[in-house]
């Protein structure tokens, strides 16, 4: 039985329909916190938001890696700071949110990008509890902790947005049991939190990438070339492909979009190229 829903808080006055982003950088006057931003999708997102005017707090479990991303942004004229953050630890998350607000005076955008993805063993029954629990803790409970800590500040901004980084693994079977379950759960959390936070002026959406050329695929160029054959657009993704989608969903260009999953997967989940190749004998 579905439990009764709590009464909704009163709705704030919402701003008028926003002007087109062509009027200027979309994130002028915005502050953003990005987790797992020391490299890959997170780093590309930090660069993209900063290039569009945002003040960015780059967080990562590896503080040195976070600082390298922040330094690169500053070298190109952007505003960025770095801070170590373990999304598996509530105190660390709350300290990161407090740091962003103290340094920038506000928080408008949260990007939940940090994740854990354990390799599968040949037999499911041999999977250790530790791998399963870590994947769920970092990839699902981490965004929960970050969103909980950030939400009061996102509400106060009057234009708050949360963008979760999910995966096509949350929709179809591509292996990685714990990671896939976590990403499916994150899509559900995106929808329920969107319903809860929408009346208070905060939008919550999710980007579901396909295969993206990040450090996770380092040294596997041959495998990536093979994988490219199953993508209708003929290639795997780049971190910047995902960053572009995040920037859209975080901006006022997406002012009437919440609770959605945006697949950025080169058409992978729209068709079955593997089946077509098998039938054709290619």
């Amino acid at each position: 039985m579905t439990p009764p829903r709590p009464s909704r808080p009163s709705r704030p006055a919402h701003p008028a329909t926003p002007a087109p982003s062509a009027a200027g950088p979309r994130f002028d006057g915005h502050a953003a916190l990005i987790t797992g931003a020391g490299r890959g999708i997170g780093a590309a997102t930090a660069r993209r938001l900063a290039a569009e005017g945002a003040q960015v707090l780059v967080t990562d479990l590896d503080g040195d890696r976070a600082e390298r991303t922040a330094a690169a942004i500053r070298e190109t004229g952007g505003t960025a700071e770095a801070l170590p953050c373990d999304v598996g630890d509530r105190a660390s998350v709350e300290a990161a949110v407090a740091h962003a607000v103290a340094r920038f005076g506000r928080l408008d955008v949260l990007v939940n990008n940090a994740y854990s993805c354990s390799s599968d063993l040949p037999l499911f029954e041999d999977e250790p509890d530790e791998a399963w629990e870590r994947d769920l803790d970092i990839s699902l409970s981490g965004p929960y902790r970050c969103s909980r800590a950030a939400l009061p500040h996102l509400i106060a901004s009057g234009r708050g947005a949360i963008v979760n980084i999910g995966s096509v693994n949350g929709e179809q079977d591509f292996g990685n049991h714990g990671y896939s379950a976590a990403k499916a759960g994150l899509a559900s959390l995106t929808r329920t939190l969107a319903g809860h936070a929408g009346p208070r002026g905060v939008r919550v959406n999710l980007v579901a990438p396909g295969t993206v050329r990040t450090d996770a695929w380092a040294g596997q160029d041959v495998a990536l070339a093979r994988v490219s054959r199953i993508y209708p657009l003929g290639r795997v993704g780049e971190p910047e492909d995902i960053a572009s989608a995040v920037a859209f969903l975080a901006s006022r260009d997406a002012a009437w979009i919440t609770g959605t999953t945006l697949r950025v997967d080169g058409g992978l989940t729209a068709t079955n190229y593997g089946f077509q190749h098998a039938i054709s004998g290619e």
Side-chain angles (χ1 to χ4, degrees):
M1 179 177 177
T2 303
R5 294 178 64 88
S7 59
R8 287 179 176 268
S10 59
R11 294 177 181 266
H14 285 273
T17 302
S21 60
R26 290 184 293 184
F27 297 103
D28 268 356
H30 288 60
L33 188 160
I34 306 171
T35 67
R39 58 185 179 182
I41 291 170
T45 300
R47 293 192 299 268
R48 177 61 182 264
L49 296 188
E52 293 201 44
Q55 302 174 93
V56 179
L57 181 61
V58 178
T59 74
D60 198 280
L61 186 61
D62 185 327
D64 291 339
R65 200 157 58 200
E67 176 54 36
R68 286 193 292 272
T69 298
I73 290 171
R74 292 193 296 269
E75 287 173 2
T76 59
T79 302
E81 293 199 7
L83 190 74
C85 179
D86 178 3
V87 301
D89 180 78
R90 179 173 181 172
S92 182
V93 165
E94 292 179 345
V97 170
H99 184 88
V101 174
R103 295 298 296 164
F104 304 141
R106 59 186 304 119
L107 183 63
D108 305 280
V109 177
L110 169 66
V111 181
N112 286 311
N113 172 70
Y115 73 95
S116 171
C117 182
S118 301
S119 299
D120 293 337
L121 295 180
L123 294 178
F124 179 79
E125 56 268 33
D126 292 335
E127 297 279 351
D129 286 353
E130 294 78 13
W132 173 267
E133 290 165 359
R134 175 168 176 77
D135 284 0
L136 265 66
D137 186 49
I138 301 302
S139 303
L140 177 56
S141 296
Y144 159 74
R145 294 184 187 99
C146 293
S147 299
R148 178 179 58 189
L151 193 56
H153 304 287
L154 298 173
I155 293 168
S157 84
R159 56 189 181 193
I162 298 173
V163 183
N164 296 318
I165 306 300
S167 173
V168 293
N169 283 53
E171 302 183 26
Q172 293 184 15
D173 174 25
F174 296 101
N176 304 111
H177 305 298
Y179 171 81
S180 298
K183 292 302 187 180
L186 185 56
S188 177
L189 176 62
T190 297
R191 293 187 292 271
T192 58
L193 186 54
H196 174 79
R200 295 192 282 174
V202 177
R203 298 179 299 103
V204 188
N205 292 291
L206 180 141
V207 174
T211 307
V212 178
R213 193 190 308 275
T214 65
D215 287 354
W217 288 92
Q220 301 184 65
D221 290 344
V222 173
L224 285 176
R226 289 199 304 267
V227 167
S228 296
R229 297 181 66 243
I230 68 172
Y231 280 85
L233 292 184
R235 66 174 178 90
V236 298
E238 301 295 337
E240 291 75 17
D241 292 317
I242 312 307
S244 296
V246 173
F248 165 67
L249 288 175
S251 77
R252 296 301 296 174
D253 287 341
W256 208 46
I257 300 175
T258 195
T260 195
T261 290
L262 175 59
R263 298 173 185 168
V264 186
D265 65 357
L268 178 67
T269 55
T271 186
N272 191 331
Y273 261 30
F275 176 82
Q276 295 179 34
H277 287 312
I279 290 295
S280 66
E282 296 179 8

